[in-house]
């Protein structure tokens, strides 16, 4: 280990696993990291017990110190508003429990099935529509098992695309990802593999050499859909991670969730689209909030959402305008909300 003797340990860049282990999980620690007074986030405790605070330090580094209203902070900070019970906000807002075809395998739309690859996420987003998903029922025990899901995909030759979702599929090791996609690619009718992930966003170090090797080596075309909500998330480090992802030849897209007080602003959304393009990423969907229990305070009214989509369309080329959609239980596709023009 010549490198180890030349570079003292603390100067080596941290691995993503180390960064993950050092993620912030307590409100006091978060206040401290943002130079806010002790006790600033005292009221985060209650909601944090229901769905734990969790955010990697590299994401915290993109928040504005001293600003409790920072748009990145608000995505991850538990608040008492989450504990308010709103009748329309439920555990399974998009009808996933009835879409299960095999353990961890969901199908709602023709030709595409979605595999819950893991329950783990590097970050806990307060508005997450799967925050109440019964993961434990899907994979008995710690190590996810995909045998039944793979057999079901192999049996149904109408399934052309498999989406790895979660949780965050990139919480799995590169070796596990490789063996999973090798098994999928061996099924002749699987023509595309898609990965829905926020991990490169909150933890750019996740885009390591092994991950790039895995993407390059995959024998069916891969689509990676990132989840970035605000332009402040897209700093130089993330842009460089996007460039490395792109260089493997994958298709790179982004989806956002429209969130009150965070990105419900045409300037913010327009800057996000332009920065995404600069980083080699095209905007795909802008999701109307799924009505999951605890997230009502993030909702943007449909008319306002459609007005925003109209303003965005009026200032950007069509390929930089994400489609505003809502997921409706039982519908045959995501339902488009037309921009108000
Ligand atoms: C959103 C979703 C998809 C993907 O839909 P696209 O419109 O193809 O992006 C597939 N399966 C499930 C269960 C979904 O929720
Ligand atoms: S990364 Fe995605 S799955 Fe994980 S908490 Fe955030 S929105 Fe939910």
């Amino acid at each position: 280990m010549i490198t180890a003797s030349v570079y003292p340990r603390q100067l080596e860049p941290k691995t993503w696993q180390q960064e993950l282990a050092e993620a912030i999980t307590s409100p006091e620690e978060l206040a401290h990291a943002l130079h806010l007074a002790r006790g600033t986030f005292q009221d985060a405790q209650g909601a944090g017990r229901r769905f734990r605070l969790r955010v990697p330090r590299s994401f915290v580094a993109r928040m504005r110190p001293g600003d409790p209203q920072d748009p990145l902070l608000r995505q991850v900070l538990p608040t008492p508003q989450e504990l308010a019970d709103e009748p329309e906000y439920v555990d399974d807002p998009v009808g996933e429990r009835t879409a299960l075809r095999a353990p961890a395998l969901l199908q709602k739309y023709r030709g595409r099935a979605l595999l819950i690859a893991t329950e783990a996420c590097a970050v806990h987003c307060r508005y997450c529509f799967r925050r109440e998903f019964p993961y434990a029922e899907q994979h008995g025990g710690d190590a996810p098992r995909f045998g039944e899901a793979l057999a079901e995909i192999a049996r149904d030759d109408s399934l052309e695309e498999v989406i790895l979702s979660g949780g965050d599929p990139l919480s799995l090791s590169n070796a596990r990802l490789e063996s999973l996609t090798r098994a999928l690619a061996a099924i002749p009718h699987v023509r595309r593999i898609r990965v829905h992930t926020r991990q490169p966003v909150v933890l750019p170090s996740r885009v390591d050499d092994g991950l790039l090797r895995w993407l390059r080596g995959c024998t069916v075309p891969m689509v990676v859909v990132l989840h970035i909500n605000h332009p402040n998330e897209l700093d130089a480090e993330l842009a460089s991670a996007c460039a490395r992802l792109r260089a493997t030849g994958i298709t790179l897209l982004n989806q956002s969730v429209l969130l009150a007080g965070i990105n419900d602003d045409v300037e913010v959304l327009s800057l996000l689209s332009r920065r995404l393009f600069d980083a080699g990423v095209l905007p795909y969907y802008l999701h109307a909030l799924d009505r999951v229990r605890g997230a009502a305070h993030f909702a943007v009214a449909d008319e306002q959402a459609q007005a925003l989509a109209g303003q965005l369309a009026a200032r950007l080329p069509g390929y930089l305008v994400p489609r505003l959609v809502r997921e409706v239980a039982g519908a045959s596709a995501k339902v488009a909300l037309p921009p108000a023009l």
Side-chain angles (χ1 to χ4, degrees):
M1 292 295 288
I2 290 168
T3 42
S5 61
V6 173
Y7 299 104
R9 225 187 119 62
Q10 59 271 30
L11 292 186
E12 288 175 26
K14 287 192 172 142
T15 63
W16 67 271
Q17 291 93 339
Q18 282 171 312
E19 286 197 44
L20 203 54
E22 292 169 10
I24 291 181
T25 54
S26 91
E28 302 83 69
E29 228 183 327
L30 185 54
H32 180 75
L34 292 171
H35 309 298
L36 288 160
R38 276 174 78 103
T40 307
F41 300 147
Q42 211 157 22
D43 62 3
Q45 303 289 359
R49 269 192 292 276
R50 190 141 102 187
F51 182 49
R52 190 162 187 201
L53 164 70
R54 182 174 173 82
V55 56
R57 288 171 192 276
S58 71
F59 196 68
V60 175
R62 285 168 256 169
M63 298 173 185
R64 291 186 293 255
D67 180 3
Q69 297 305 321
D70 178 87
L72 277 54
L73 172 63
R74 295 187 63 182
Q75 296 179 47
V76 303
L77 181 69
T79 62
Q81 290 155 294
E82 293 173 34
L83 300 172
D85 260 324
E86 299 283 339
E88 272 179 60
Y89 287 74
V90 296
D91 283 359
D92 180 17
V94 295
E96 295 207 314
R97 316 289 204 268
T98 53
L100 277 166
R101 279 188 65 161
L105 188 72
L106 297 167
Q107 188 183 7
K108 287 186 170 177
Y109 309 139
R110 185 168 174 160
R112 288 151 286 167
L114 184 149
L115 189 63
I116 304 281
T118 166
E119 68 189 76
C121 286
V123 67
H124 286 175
C125 311
R126 307 317 299 177
Y127 52 84
C128 178
F129 74 103
R130 289 207 185 104
R131 52 178 286 169
E132 307 283 346
F133 191 80
Y135 289 110
E137 295 165 22
Q138 305 307 313
H139 304 288
D142 293 339
R145 283 184 288 268
F146 303 116
E148 281 184 64
L150 288 168
E152 184 66 15
I153 296 165
R155 246 194 312 273
D156 180 353
D157 66 8
S158 76
L159 292 177
E160 285 202 343
E161 177 166 351
V162 176
I163 301 168
L164 306 184
S165 184
D168 198 309
L170 297 194
S171 302
L172 298 178
S173 69
N174 295 330
R176 271 203 78 99
L177 289 167
E178 209 266 329
S179 71
L180 179 57
T181 52
R182 186 153 18 91
L184 288 169
I187 301 171
H189 53 263
V190 173
R191 309 291 296 271
R192 299 179 295 278
I193 297 174
R194 194 193 319 180
V195 180
H196 282 179
T197 177
R198 186 146 160 80
Q199 205 152 24
V201 179
V202 297
L203 204 65
S205 58
R206 179 66 189 88
V207 183
D208 60 9
D209 292 343
L211 186 93
L212 299 171
R213 239 185 338 266
W214 162 59
L215 290 172
R216 263 195 307 269
C218 202
T219 53
V220 297
M222 295 276 280
V223 180
V224 172
V225 184
L226 300 173
H227 171 179
I228 305 174
N229 296 317
H230 191 282
N232 292 3
E233 293 169 49
L234 223 179
D235 65 353
E237 197 188 353
L238 176 53
S240 137
C242 291
R244 278 176 281 144
L245 286 169
R246 271 278 303 237
T248 65
I250 60 158
T251 299
L252 194 55
L253 304 172
N254 182 63
Q255 52 186 349
S256 309
V257 181
L258 183 60
L259 297 165
I262 293 171
N263 61 5
D264 57 340
D265 178 301
V266 69
E267 299 292 342
V268 168
L269 291 173
S270 156
L271 185 59
L272 175 60
S273 276
R274 282 144 53 219
R275 285 222 186 133
L276 285 169
F277 182 79
D278 291 345
V281 187
L282 287 178
Y284 180 41
Y285 281 147
L286 176 61
H287 291 271
L289 182 78
D290 293 316
R291 296 188 182 105
V292 69
R293 188 153 66 99
H297 54 292
F298 288 118
V300 175
D302 280 359
E303 307 84 80
Q304 195 200 335
Q306 290 173 280
L308 272 170
Q311 291 161 20
L312 203 56
R315 44 168 96 182
L316 291 175
Y319 58 88
L320 291 188
V321 182
R323 258 172 296 163
L324 177 65
V325 291
R326 150 153 304 130
E327 187 149 351
V328 175
S332 58
K334 312 261 187 241
V335 177
L337 297 176
L341 293 167

